[in-house]
Amino acid sequence: MQANRARDTGPELALRSLLHASGLRYRVDIRPIPEIRRRADVVFPKERVAVFVDGCFWHGCPLHSRPAKRNSELWSAKISGNMERDAETNALLVAAGWTVLRVWEHDDVGAAAEAVAMAVAKARQDL
């Protein structure tokens, strides 16, 4: 468990690299809403866009998630709790006026970066 990174994972770094190369500037691993103890992986505070890069195992990816062989009840409860927290986080941020994007670790990084760039551009138009 100690080896599992909370931030700066491979998929996060790849996405951030493409976003930075396209000229976008952002904050990393911060709370979009300070009062809520949830941290987004990439945040555009002024535009109110929060991006989460979710791991397939930890967040219950519908394509790649598979039940654990050992302690299956414990892991099932853990992953279900993560999925519920993700849904609650989305709802809280949307209610506060944020655009929330969730990217799976297996998603095409170029397509994900393009989706983020379009969301940020749209948010900038609405400012």
Side-chain angles (χ1 to χ4, degrees):
M1 292 287 290
Q2 268 185 325
N4 294 318
R5 297 174 147 262
R7 61 176 276 185
D8 298 337
T9 63
E12 284 179 38
L13 292 174
L15 177 64
R16 291 183 352 217
S17 176
L18 287 178
L19 293 174
H20 193 272
S22 69
L24 293 173
R25 299 301 179 256
Y26 46 82
R27 303 281 313 273
V28 175
D29 191 39
I30 65 165
R31 294 178 182 180
I33 303 172
E35 301 82 34
I36 299 173
R37 291 189 57 198
R38 311 283 166 81
R39 300 171 80 86
D41 298 312
V42 177
V43 179
F44 298 87
K46 184 173 138 191
E47 296 85 358
R48 299 177 72 91
V49 175
V51 182
F52 296 87
V53 182
D54 293 339
C56 290
F57 176 76
W58 297 105
H59 296 269
C61 171
L63 297 177
H64 299 107
S65 182
R66 64 187 203 289
K69 293 180 181 177
R70 295 185 185 185
N71 294 326
S72 60
E73 291 177 13
L74 171 104
W75 285 110
S76 176
K78 168 70 174 155
I79 293 167
S80 294
N82 288 348
M83 292 169 71
E84 289 172 12
R85 188 187 64 238
D86 292 344
E88 181 186 16
T89 300
N90 291 351
L92 289 169
L93 289 172
V94 168
W98 285 76
T99 299
V100 179
L101 297 170
R102 289 206 173 257
V103 178
W104 289 107
E105 69 177 329
H106 66 263
D107 286 344
D108 177 62
V109 179
E114 190 174 317
V116 172
M118 288 191 319
V120 170
K122 183 180 181 312
R124 286 179 177 166
Q125 287 177 349
D126 295 342
L127 288 179

